[in-house]
Amino acid sequence: YVAAIFHLVVHSFFKALLFLSSGNVIHGMEHGHHQVADHDDEAADEGEFDPQDMRNMGGLRHRMKTTFVVFTIGALALAGIVPLAGFWSKDEILAHAEFNRQLGVEIVLILAAICTAFYMGRQLSMVFLRKPRTEAAEHASESPRLMTWTLIVLAALTILGGLLNVPFFSAGAAEHAEEEHELGLNLELEQWLEHSIRSLELERLEGLVDVPDTPLSVDFSVAGLSTVLALAALGLALFVVYRNRPEKADDPDPLQKTPIWWFGVLPLNTLYMRTIVPAFNATASWLAHTVDWRFWHDWFHDRVIRDGYVGLANFVNKSIDVAIIDNGLVNGTARAARWCGYQLRRTQTGYIRNYALAVFLGVIAIVVYIIFVAN
């Protein structure tokens, strides 16, 4: 549990660093392409240029020095090179598999670590090293400080993030380690989640579940093996497979000429292109045209949202605005005032006898009020 959560935390540092650095590279390549296109009409007419295609890059370490440094830090961390954050978290995951004798899991994890280190070496070689393969790469420019400072902060977290679980990082952890584990470099965080995990409590108190044991100290054999394999995979990519290759943007990838035995034994490429790719394209087309366009756009937007809004607007207009507000409040108030005025107008006859009669009746009403009510 701790190894997984620890890797999730530090992985966010260097993976965010790699993604934002990639955005910097794309930004720099676009500027380089625009600069070339502004001075060369033929380059502008060659067609759509893809600033995200690594085959169009190369040699960017000279044009984008800050991005090159921080990207290299993130790449080495993702490859698991000591002492960066990725080394400590990946080593803990491998150590758990080794400690619990899960050979199959350990082999898969080691292969994944080797492949990760190899493709990070491939990316470093194709993007930043060797010679530029396009004019856009030759004229690429570094991003503004507003963008590079963010990368520097993430690079610092990538370098220092492993200290979260470095042995004897605090005096309290050292004392606790000396009390319970006298030998070995004991890791600070290996027991910090135990109080929140129900399965560990069930194992300790009731013996109902069997939880894999947690290694509490650094396994130097696993750490050394993972580091050696990561360095070997990086070296294989940088100095063997992608050494001075590809030279041009349209050159084939060196891996296409590398004999890999399982591609010869199993028709993976054919199987992939004839089954997975068509199935993916068909699913994507169905989601785009049927689900998104016909259902979401045509039916839901037009029928539910638009028609529902129009119906509600008509109801509010006819039943509330016209019937209640206009006819009831506004026009009703006018009709009531007009009726009252008409009734009052009928009392104004212009005859003195009518006014005298009204005064006489008023006097009688006052006398009756004084006699029967006021007393």
Side-chain angles (χ1 to χ4, degrees):
Y1 298 99
V2 172
I5 297 299
F6 179 47
H7 184 64
L8 181 65
V9 172
V10 297
H11 185 268
S12 65
F13 299 153
F14 50 80
K15 207 55 179 290
L17 173 61
L18 290 172
F19 272 110
L20 292 179
S21 298
S22 300
N24 260 22
V25 171
I26 297 170
H27 183 267
M29 288 291 295
E30 287 181 339
H31 274 262
H33 174 65
H34 291 320
Q35 185 175 353
V36 173
D38 290 341
H39 295 84
D40 189 353
D41 295 335
E42 293 182 1
D45 297 335
E46 286 180 356
E48 184 177 355
F49 176 79
D50 187 1
Q52 303 185 48
D53 193 337
M54 293 195 302
R55 293 171 296 183
N56 294 326
M57 301 177 189
L60 293 183
R61 71 185 186 277
H62 301 299
R63 304 291 302 178
M64 308 181 69
K65 295 180 180 180
T66 302
T67 302
F68 168 63
V69 172
V70 296
F71 187 93
T72 302
I73 294 173
L76 295 178
L78 184 61
I81 303 301
V82 66
L84 301 176
F87 165 78
W88 297 103
S89 60
K90 281 189 174 182
D91 177 67
E92 286 308 294
I93 296 174
L94 291 170
H96 276 263
E98 171 71 18
F99 192 79
N100 291 280
R101 302 187 184 281
Q102 297 174 333
L103 181 61
V105 175
E106 187 176 5
I107 291 175
V108 172
L109 293 175
I110 290 175
L111 290 175
I114 293 173
C115 292
T116 300
F118 179 84
Y119 75 69
M120 292 315 301
R122 173 181 182 269
Q123 193 167 21
L124 282 171
S125 178
M126 294 188 66
V127 175
F128 294 100
L129 306 180
R130 316 310 173 206
K131 296 180 180 180
R133 289 183 290 276
T134 60
E135 292 188 14
E138 292 181 358
H139 293 83
S141 59
E142 182 62 275
S143 300
R145 291 185 178 181
L146 181 64
M147 299 170 67
T148 56
W149 272 111
T150 305
L151 303 180
I152 294 174
V153 172
L154 289 171
L157 291 173
T158 300
I159 296 173
L160 303 175
L163 298 178
L164 290 171
N165 202 28
V166 165
F168 302 118
F169 183 66
S170 66
E175 294 175 1
H176 178 74
E178 290 175 357
E179 291 176 2
E180 299 195 7
H181 311 284
E182 297 180 357
L183 301 177
L185 294 178
N186 299 281
L187 300 168
E188 181 184 0
L189 298 179
E190 285 305 317
Q191 293 177 309
W192 72 290
L193 280 178
E194 292 187 0
H195 68 281
S196 64
I197 301 174
R198 177 61 177 166
S199 58
L200 294 174
E201 183 179 352
L202 291 175
E203 180 194 37
R204 289 178 175 176
L205 301 181
E206 305 174 20
L208 298 179
V209 295
D210 183 18
V211 179
D213 294 327
T214 299
L216 299 177
S217 59
V218 176
D219 191 329
F220 291 101
S221 61
V222 174
L225 177 62
S226 63
T227 302
V228 170
L229 293 177
L231 289 173
L234 280 170
L236 179 65
L238 290 171
F239 304 110
V240 179
V241 179
Y242 288 92
R243 182 182 181 182
N244 298 325
R245 291 173 291 183
E247 296 181 356
K248 300 179 180 179
D250 54 355
D251 286 349
D253 192 290
L255 281 182
Q256 296 178 359
K257 299 180 180 180
T258 303
I260 302 177
W261 67 269
W262 57 77
F263 277 94
V265 176
L266 299 175
L268 293 181
N269 191 42
T270 303
L271 180 66
Y272 177 80
M273 295 302 296
R274 292 185 178 181
T275 57
I276 298 178
V277 172
F280 175 83
N281 291 336
T283 304
S285 177
W286 178 76
L287 290 173
H289 295 92
T290 303
V291 176
D292 183 57
W293 191 257
R294 295 181 185 176
F295 169 74
W296 183 250
H297 184 273
D298 290 349
W299 182 79
F300 188 79
H301 281 197
D302 294 345
R303 298 293 178 267
V304 178
I305 297 179
R306 186 197 64 187
D307 292 354
Y309 177 80
V310 172
L312 178 62
N314 290 332
F315 169 78
V316 171
N317 176 46
K318 296 179 181 179
S319 302
I320 297 179
D321 187 38
V322 175
I324 298 177
I325 297 177
D326 289 349
N327 294 333
L329 297 178
V330 178
N331 297 333
T333 303
R335 287 193 296 269
R338 186 169 55 249
W339 181 83
C340 292
Y342 174 74
Q343 298 300 326
L344 290 174
R345 188 173 67 245
R346 295 178 62 184
T347 62
Q348 303 300 317
T349 61
Y351 296 111
I352 296 178
R353 59 179 179 274
N354 292 340
Y355 300 148
L357 178 61
V359 171
F360 176 73
L361 293 176
V363 171
I364 293 176
I366 293 174
V367 172
V368 171
Y369 174 79
I370 294 174
I371 295 175
F372 296 101
V373 178
N375 295 329

